[in-house]
Amino acid sequence: MALTGIGTQERHRPQASKFSILACQTPAHNRRYSKKRFTHPQNTDLPPVLPKNKKKPYPIPLKQILQTSRADKKLAEMGIEKPLEPPKNGLLVPELIPVAYDVLDAWKILIEGLSQLLHVVPVHACSECSEVHVGQTGHHIQNCHGPNSADRRSFHLWVKGSIDDVLLPIESYHQYDPFGTRIKHDTRFDYDRIPAIVELCIQAGVELPQYPSRRRTQPIRMLGKKMIERGGIVAAPKPQHSGDVLEFDTQRALERFPPPVDSDVVEIAQSTLNAYEKVRWGVTKLMRKYTVKACGYCPEVHVGPWGHNAKLCGEFKHQWRDGKHGWQDAIVDEVFPPNYVWHVRDPNGPPLKSSLKRFYGKAPIVVEICVQAGATVPNKYRPMMRLDIVVPDKEEARLVA
C-alpha cells in the first residue's frame, strides 16, 4: 500500500515541462551580465566623527597588543633579547629612503601650490568653530556648535580662511636621537616643533642641515622594555638654520608665493592634487615601518618609538592623567588630516542649504580647492562627493522618500 501511495502521489504530481524548466533558469549570457560591473558605488559615507568624551579606538586590536606584550615579557623573564628589525632597532630601511625624499618634495610642492591657489579660490572659515568652506560665499547649513551658536540658530560666522585652515598644523618635536633621552615637561622648550610629516621623513633617512638626526651603524638591543645597548648618549650638534626652513612650513606662505597667471591655474591645480596624493601615499607607506604615536584624547602627535612626557593634554579627564597624553599608535588621518568640507558643484550658484544637506557630498579640502580650480576629479573621490546624485529643488526634496 505504501508503494501504491507513493506511486499515486508521483502520478498526480504536476510535471514541469522542459520549456518551463528552461524558462526558470537564467541563460549563461544573462548570468554573466547580472554581476556588478561598477567598482565604485554611487555614494559613500565619511568616517564617523568620534566623540570627545571618550578615548579614540585603538588602530590595532587591544587583544593583539596584549598578546605581543605578554610575549615580550616572557622573553625578558627567560633572559632572551627582544628581536628587532629595522627601523625598530634604530637602523634605517634603505628602500624607504627614496620614498621619504619623494614625500618631502611633494610636501613642498603642495604648500607652494595651495598658497598660489588660495589667491584664486576663496576659502572661508568659521570664527566660532572649526568649519571650513570653499566657495564664493559661506554655506547656510546650520551645523555650528561654537559659542553662542543658539543665538545664531547654528549659523556660521564666516571670515577669510588661511592656509592653516586647509593644511591643519600637525606638529611634532624634533629629536636628534629618537631612541635617546625622553622629552620631559621641563625640557620641552629645548626641542624644535616642526611638521610631523617633515619629522617622519627625517627619521626615515632625509638629511637636512637645519634638523640633524643621528644615524646609527650598530643596532640597539632591548630586553623586554629595558634598553640594554643604544650606543651611548650623543649630544646633538648645533643646527644650521637658514631661510630654507620656510619651505617645509606654512608660515607666511601666502606672502612668499604671488598669485598665479590665469593660464597656469589649471596646471597648478593638477600638480597640487598630484602632490597631495603622493604625500598621502608616502606617509601611509612610511608609517607601516616607522612608529608614530598619537594621543588618544587630543590631536598631539609624536614621531618616535615612544611618546614624550610633556604634560600638555587638556582634553577629556586630563586631570586624572596629570596632563599627560594617552599615547597609542597613530593612523594616517592623524598625521595628515583630510579635513573634509562640503562639495560645491557650482561655486557661482546659490549657497548650500540645510534642507538639502543629505544630497550634498564631501571631499578633502585640498581636493575641493583643486577641483574648483580646474583639476580632474579622481575616481576614488567621486562617491563621497556624490557627483552621480541629482540635487533636487527645495520643493522636490519634500517628495523624496
Side-chain angles (χ1 to χ4, degrees):
M1 293 297 295
L3 293 176
T4 307
I6 294 176
T8 306
Q9 292 177 2
E10 290 181 353
R11 191 183 312 115
H12 293 284
R13 183 180 299 169
Q15 299 291 330
S17 64
K18 179 173 67 174
F19 297 100
S20 61
I21 295 176
L22 294 177
C24 296
Q25 293 180 354
T26 305
H29 63 280
N30 289 340
R31 287 199 303 269
R32 182 181 63 180
Y33 286 103
S34 63
K35 296 181 180 179
K36 294 182 179 179
R37 293 176 293 172
F38 301 101
T39 57
H40 298 283
Q42 189 179 28
N43 62 82
T44 56
D45 296 328
L46 299 181
V49 179
L50 300 178
K52 293 186 177 181
N53 58 349
K54 293 182 180 180
K55 189 177 181 181
K56 303 174 188 176
Y58 291 99
I60 302 176
L62 184 60
K63 183 178 180 180
Q64 183 178 349
I65 297 176
L66 295 177
Q67 288 178 351
T68 306
S69 179
R70 294 192 197 99
D72 295 343
K73 184 177 180 181
K74 188 175 182 180
L75 290 177
E77 293 175 350
M78 298 171 60
I80 302 175
E81 294 184 12
K82 183 178 179 180
L84 298 174
E85 297 181 357
K88 307 296 183 182
N89 59 0
L91 303 180
L92 294 177
V93 182
E95 57 268 20
L96 291 182
I97 296 178
V99 177
Y101 275 97
D102 292 342
V103 171
L104 195 60
D105 293 339
W107 175 253
K108 293 188 288 186
I109 295 174
L110 179 61
I111 294 176
E112 180 180 356
L114 284 177
S115 303
Q116 292 178 303
L117 292 178
L118 286 182
H119 291 289
V120 180
V121 181
V123 175
H124 302 275
C126 181
S127 60
E128 303 296 331
C129 68
S130 59
E131 183 79 3
V132 185
H133 184 68
V134 182
Q136 297 297 329
T137 58
H139 63 71
H140 291 174
I141 299 177
Q142 298 167 269
N143 58 352
C144 182
H145 299 285
N148 302 322
S149 60
D151 299 338
R152 293 178 279 106
R153 293 188 300 162
S154 298
F155 282 105
H156 295 278
L157 291 179
W158 297 112
V159 296
K160 185 178 180 181
S162 63
I163 191 172
D164 286 337
D165 296 317
V166 179
L167 292 178
L168 299 181
I170 304 297
E171 295 183 339
S172 174
Y173 287 107
H174 169 66
Q175 287 183 277
Y176 173 70
D177 184 7
F179 293 88
T181 305
R182 197 166 183 174
I183 299 176
K184 300 180 181 180
H185 185 75
D186 298 334
T187 62
R188 65 187 187 277
F189 295 112
D190 299 337
Y191 303 89
D192 294 332
R193 296 276 291 181
I194 63 176
I197 293 179
V198 179
E199 177 63 17
L200 179 61
C201 295
I202 292 174
Q203 294 191 18
V206 174
E207 298 291 345
L208 294 179
Q210 305 92 336
Y211 304 111
S213 182
R214 182 178 180 180
R215 307 302 182 193
R216 282 183 165 82
T217 57
Q218 298 295 328
I220 63 173
R221 298 163 55 195
M222 295 186 65
L223 185 64
K225 294 184 179 181
K226 182 179 179 181
M227 192 170 295
I228 302 176
E229 177 62 34
R230 57 180 161 189
I233 303 297
V234 179
K238 189 175 181 180
Q240 303 175 8
H241 290 293
S242 62
D244 297 337
V245 178
L246 292 177
E247 294 182 356
F248 315 118
D249 203 347
T250 58
Q251 181 182 5
R252 302 177 61 184
L254 294 178
E255 301 176 9
R256 291 187 280 122
F257 300 104
V261 184
D262 294 341
S263 58
D264 297 339
V265 171
V266 177
E267 183 180 355
I268 293 175
Q270 192 63 49
S271 62
T272 303
L273 185 56
N274 295 338
Y276 173 80
E277 292 296 323
K278 196 166 189 178
V279 170
R280 192 162 186 84
W281 166 81
V283 170
T284 304
K285 195 168 185 178
L286 293 177
M287 288 181 62
R288 292 173 184 170
K289 290 288 186 180
Y290 289 88
T291 304
V292 180
K293 297 294 183 179
C295 180
Y297 303 93
C298 72
E300 181 70 10
V301 169
H302 184 78
V303 184
W306 43 72
H308 58 75
N309 282 338
K311 304 176 183 180
L312 301 175
C313 187
E315 294 298 331
F316 178 64
K317 293 185 178 180
H318 62 91
Q319 302 90 344
W320 293 13
R321 294 174 276 111
D322 193 21
K324 293 182 180 180
H325 296 285
W327 296 114
Q328 61 188 40
D329 291 332
I331 60 177
V332 178
D333 287 350
E334 293 173 319
V335 179
F336 191 42
N339 196 8
Y340 293 103
V341 296
W342 294 102
H343 170 59
V344 181
R345 300 190 182 188
D346 185 9
N348 298 321
L352 306 184
K353 303 176 183 178
S354 294
S355 58
L356 300 176
K357 68 178 183 179
R358 62 171 174 163
F359 302 100
Y360 300 140
K362 284 193 173 185
I365 186 170
V366 177
V367 178
E368 180 67 16
I369 291 175
C370 295
V371 168
Q372 291 195 20
T376 306
V377 181
N379 290 331
K380 67 178 182 179
Y381 295 115
R382 295 183 67 89
M384 68 174 62
M385 297 170 74
R386 300 189 177 182
L387 298 181
D388 298 331
I389 295 179
V390 179
V391 179
D393 295 334
K394 188 176 181 180
E395 297 298 330
E396 295 175 346
R398 302 175 182 177
L399 305 176
V400 179

